[in-house]
Amino acid sequence: MSDLLAARSQMAMSLAFHIIFAVMGIGMPLLMVLAERQWIRTRDPVWLDLAKRWSKGTAILFAVGAVSGTVLSFELGLLWPAFMEYAGAIIGMPFSLEGFAFFTEAIFLGIYLYGWTRLTARAHWWAGVAVAVSGTVSGIFVVFANAWMNSPTGFTLVDGKPTDIDPIAAMLGPASFPQALHMTIAAFATTGIAVAGIHAWMLRRDRESTFHRAALKLALLVAVPASLLQLVSGDLSAKFVAKWQPAKLAAMEGHFVTQRSAPLRIGGIPDERTRETRYAIDVPGGLSFLAFGDFDAEVKGLDAFPESDWPPVAITHVAFQVMVGLGTLMAFASLWVIVCWVRKREVADSRALLGLLALLTPAGFIAVEAGWVVTEVGRQPWIVQGVMRTADALTPMPGLVVPFAAFTLLYVFLGVIVAWLLWAQIIKTQPDPAHPIRRDV
């Protein structure tokens, strides 16, 4: 394995591991505070039980996410020193603000976890709100830094070096809004669908459980709007890619030849040698319309770019198809839930819908992973789009396969520990309506 491949593999594995905790670190606090809000309003102990369980999950995920996030920050400097030397002054602002939001989240999470019997219920709830808001903001700032790599702005190149740096302009570049919106909504949709899926599976075994019915209801209140809004944010992201990263769009669609009325491809396997995508279902003019709002618009194919600037086409295309396919399934399940609500039918009474939700439990996580593959692999061979190639940012240190193997073992160990903790602390324990807590709201 070459050093470049080892370094890229290590970053890919680290991000694949960390992004799960980042997503749930954004979604779980919202469920936690919604459940506690319901308890404050109704005094039904089921909601309090849910809030306490989900707060334990939030604490576990936060701790592991902090470890994996720290590893990532080290890897940026150790594996890609040329990138950090070049971009550090430009993207330092979002990383600094992310650190502020992270520490705010840590402080209020500590207050929340240890304040059940020490704060009024209302003050305790506001501490939870602070956790939810700061966790979401923290994720947005990290995405801002990544967005700059896709649309680098906020500086002037003089003799190959960045000058006249405007960190705010760099942080709020063209990719920032669509990418942050897409990722944040994905976090809520993924967490909501995953939690709904777990409790849907439980309800198929125990239809009368008020605990699982309450959990399912709350999770769907987050998952349904997020899954449907994701279709809108996905369209915004696609339009950004069409304008700023046309080679990535061509790879996403397996689109080799520049043409008007370009078809939207569903499925298929791109073949770079023959420059065609086989076995796909083509929707005439679909790509032109979705990218530019015009069925006859010209869409650049990969033939418009030197082959040395092509991203890995097959990986990017398949990952994009997986992301869109699973997102569509999640939106379909959400529409089914809305039909039940409109017809005033309990979702928990539909065994078929419960089965679909249970099957979709991991769908959001797989879609998020696929989406990041599209974002990162689709930008190759650039680490900073059009400015710096990934190979040029690599550390000169040889033997990078060694840290890759070591960190692989670390992530496997952490994954097992997290799975066991979540099972032991949240799923395996039985509902307990008796909770010591201050009630002088």
Side-chain angles (χ1 to χ4, degrees):
M1 176 180 283
S2 68
D3 284 332
L4 178 60
L5 180 58
R8 288 186 59 193
S9 299
Q10 185 173 334
M11 284 300 296
M13 184 185 57
S14 299
L15 281 166
F17 186 85
H18 178 70
I19 201 169
I20 298 298
F21 300 96
V23 162
M24 296 198 73
I26 291 173
M28 285 303 296
L30 176 61
L31 289 174
M32 179 182 78
V33 296
L34 288 176
E36 188 175 4
R37 178 61 184 163
Q38 283 293 92
W39 175 77
I40 292 173
R41 193 174 66 84
T42 65
R43 299 301 181 178
D44 186 336
V46 166
W47 297 115
L48 185 57
D49 194 13
L50 274 174
K52 286 203 164 189
R53 285 165 181 265
W54 286 342
S55 68
K56 289 180 182 176
T58 299
I60 294 168
L61 296 167
F62 178 86
V64 180
V67 172
S68 57
T70 303
V71 170
L72 271 171
S73 64
F74 276 112
E75 287 177 346
L76 277 174
L78 294 174
L79 296 177
W80 315 105
F83 165 72
M84 292 307 294
E85 180 183 2
Y86 186 94
I90 306 173
I91 58 173
M93 181 66 74
F95 278 131
S96 299
L97 295 175
E98 188 273 339
F100 173 77
F102 172 79
F103 285 119
T104 302
E105 181 184 9
I107 291 167
F108 280 100
L109 182 58
I111 293 172
Y112 190 86
L113 293 175
Y114 291 97
W116 285 105
T117 59
R118 297 174 176 84
L119 301 174
T120 66
R122 196 172 298 280
H124 187 262
W125 181 76
W126 277 109
V129 171
V131 173
V133 171
S134 54
T136 302
V137 171
S138 174
I140 288 173
F141 281 127
V142 171
V143 174
F144 279 174
N146 181 268
W148 178 83
M149 297 162 70
N150 293 318
S151 61
T153 54
F155 64 99
T156 303
L157 270 181
V158 177
D159 297 330
K161 296 184 181 299
T163 59
D164 298 329
I165 294 171
D166 182 344
I168 300 299
M171 186 174 69
L172 302 177
S176 298
F177 176 71
Q179 198 170 327
L181 180 69
H182 198 53
M183 190 65 229
T184 304
I185 293 177
F188 292 128
T190 296
T191 306
I193 287 289
V195 173
I198 290 170
H199 291 283
W201 179 65
M202 295 289 188
L203 279 168
R204 282 174 64 88
R205 303 171 63 186
D206 180 7
R207 300 284 294 277
E208 303 305 320
S209 170
T210 55
F211 175 80
H212 294 306
R213 282 176 177 263
L216 177 65
K217 179 180 179 181
L218 211 53
L220 289 176
L221 284 175
V222 173
V224 168
S227 298
L228 296 176
L229 285 172
Q230 192 66 320
L231 300 178
V232 179
S233 74
D235 181 63
L236 288 175
S237 294
K239 285 182 167 54
F240 160 79
V241 173
K243 181 176 180 180
W244 289 87
Q245 296 180 296
K248 177 189 283 189
L249 178 72
M252 287 161 59
E253 291 291 338
H255 183 59
F256 286 94
V257 180
T258 302
Q259 66 180 102
R260 291 188 174 278
S261 192
L264 179 70
R265 293 202 165 86
I266 301 173
I269 303 174
D271 185 334
E272 293 186 36
R273 185 177 57 82
T274 60
R275 300 193 173 195
E276 60 181 350
T277 300
R278 298 172 180 168
Y279 316 119
I281 300 172
D282 287 359
V283 180
L287 179 58
S288 293
F289 179 75
L290 289 177
F292 300 106
D294 179 357
F295 283 104
D296 194 43
E298 181 180 276
V299 179
K300 286 184 178 178
L302 287 162
D303 63 351
F305 309 93
E307 280 197 48
S308 59
D309 288 351
W310 288 14
V313 182
I315 294 174
T316 307
H317 176 74
V318 171
F320 180 65
Q321 296 290 318
V322 169
M323 179 186 69
V324 172
L326 291 174
T328 303
L329 277 176
M330 292 163 64
F332 171 75
S334 297
L335 287 174
W336 192 346
V337 170
I338 289 176
V339 170
C340 288
W341 288 345
V342 169
R343 298 175 66 180
K344 300 187 184 306
R345 291 183 56 191
E346 287 284 340
V347 173
D349 293 333
S350 172
R351 194 167 178 80
L353 180 51
L354 290 178
L356 176 60
L357 290 169
L359 286 174
L360 288 177
T361 301
F365 298 115
I366 298 172
V368 166
E369 298 283 9
W372 273 103
V373 169
V374 173
T375 301
E376 297 303 305
V377 176
R379 193 183 57 242
Q380 299 305 314
W382 305 98
I383 192 170
V384 181
Q385 183 70 48
V387 174
M388 177 181 282
R389 290 181 180 270
T390 306
D392 295 335
L394 182 66
T395 175
M397 187 187 86
L400 294 181
V401 69
V402 175
F404 171 50
F407 277 101
T408 300
L409 292 174
L410 171 67
Y411 288 127
V412 170
F413 173 74
L414 277 176
V416 171
I417 293 295
V418 171
W420 176 77
L421 283 173
L422 291 175
W423 173 262
Q425 295 294 322
I426 301 175
I427 299 175
K428 187 179 179 182
T429 55
Q430 297 299 314
D432 178 10
H435 301 280
I437 190 168
R438 288 188 64 173
R439 296 171 184 269
D440 51 339
V441 182

